[in-house]
Amino acid sequence: MASQSPQWKRVVVKLSGEALQGGQTHGLDGATVDRIAADLVSAAELGAEIAVVVGGGNFFRGIQGADKGIERARADSIGMLATVMNALAMEHAVEKLGRHARALSAVAMPSLCQPYSRNAALHHLAKGRIVMLAGGTGNPFFTTDTGAALRGAELSCDAIMKATQVDGIYSADPKKDPSATRYDRLTHDEAISKNLAVMDTAAFALARENRIPIIVFSIAEPGAIRAALEGKGRATYVLPE
């Protein structure tokens, strides 16, 4: 029997752009977007307030653009636009299921969605809407992981839920290194000192400073977000000391 109460009341879920492309090489996979939207709605039905920070790597990743000769600040700006496309797609997918959602962008584009502000996000969360947070931090040189940690702190979230392609944090990429060790529990300091690449150092440090737990789990299975929110399933927990 599923629990009817979440472990955390208000959370920020970090979704990579790659998670939305399904089995495709790029772009959006409709069935995958709908599955993740259904999972978010199911999690919200537990009574949790849910904000979602979306990446943009399924369309454009700033650091890859910089590798191709685009100056980094401009490449990151293009990447921010990619996150807006994903946020709008997720907003639509959630609303198709009958749950209200709002896309807010740190890069102002009011003809498409509401500009991000802390008060606006808190208002929508209090109304039970799933809030899609686009545009990262609104600044170049910061990843959307750091954006998730920033929003988690800013919105007084109880946890950051990092959805990945594997079931937690490993000492190395388990898809490349079969001998990689999986961690069940870590402190923020341990995650930083071990240079674990599941999130960047700035994100871990921001979460550490604000004592926000990070739950790292696989998005591959249906119901994964709700299960993680209930404290079920396989996940790695990065906890304050």
Side-chain angles (χ1 to χ4, degrees):
M1 180 69 69
S3 166
Q4 293 303 307
S5 62
Q7 289 267 30
W8 299 277
K9 178 62 178 172
R10 181 184 297 157
V11 297
V12 58
V13 178
K14 170 56 176 45
L15 280 179
S16 68
E18 289 87 346
L20 304 180
Q21 71 188 33
Q24 301 185 102
T25 58
H26 63 281
L28 293 165
D29 177 68
T32 301
V33 169
D34 288 344
R35 173 178 64 80
I36 294 174
D39 196 358
L40 288 168
V41 170
S42 177
E45 287 171 349
L46 289 172
E49 297 177 4
I50 298 178
V52 182
V53 170
V54 288
N58 53 325
F59 288 116
F60 189 91
R61 185 180 293 278
I63 198 160
Q64 291 174 345
D67 289 342
K68 294 174 182 175
I70 304 173
E71 62 178 339
R72 176 65 188 273
R74 195 177 301 262
D76 282 353
S77 295
I78 298 170
M80 290 179 216
L81 299 180
T83 70
V84 177
M85 292 192 282
N86 285 334
L88 292 173
M90 289 303 304
E91 177 190 48
H92 174 65
V94 166
E95 295 208 317
K96 279 196 304 182
L97 297 171
R99 186 90 190 189
H100 291 300
R102 290 291 186 277
L104 307 182
S105 174
V107 180
M109 43 186 74
S111 63
L112 296 178
C113 58
Q114 187 175 352
Y116 171 80
S117 73
R118 179 176 182 270
N119 285 344
L122 290 173
H123 170 76
H124 293 310
L125 289 170
K127 292 287 187 181
R129 297 162 186 154
I130 297 175
V131 179
M132 306 298 171
L133 299 174
T137 67
N139 299 285
F141 302 101
F142 291 94
T143 68
T144 50
D145 280 347
T146 300
L150 173 63
R151 299 298 179 230
E154 192 174 24
L155 299 175
S156 303
C157 289
D158 300 311
I160 298 165
M161 301 179 67
K162 164 80 173 178
T164 69
Q165 303 303 311
V166 292
D167 60 352
I169 299 178
Y170 287 77
S171 58
D173 185 344
K175 295 178 180 177
K176 297 177 181 176
D177 182 358
S179 66
T181 301
R182 183 181 177 280
Y183 301 101
D184 287 321
R185 296 279 192 282
L186 290 164
T187 66
H188 295 92
D189 280 334
E190 286 173 334
I192 292 168
S193 66
K194 293 177 186 294
N195 198 28
L196 299 173
V198 68
M199 296 180 85
D200 60 89
T201 302
F204 278 128
L206 194 52
R208 177 185 62 186
E209 288 166 20
N210 292 280
R211 301 187 63 77
I212 306 173
I214 302 169
I215 301 93
V216 181
F217 64 100
S218 171
I219 194 64
E221 296 298 321
I225 297 171
R226 178 174 173 135
L229 193 56
E230 291 179 301
K232 300 178 179 179
R234 281 172 66 82
T236 297
Y237 296 85
V238 184
L239 304 169
E241 290 191 77

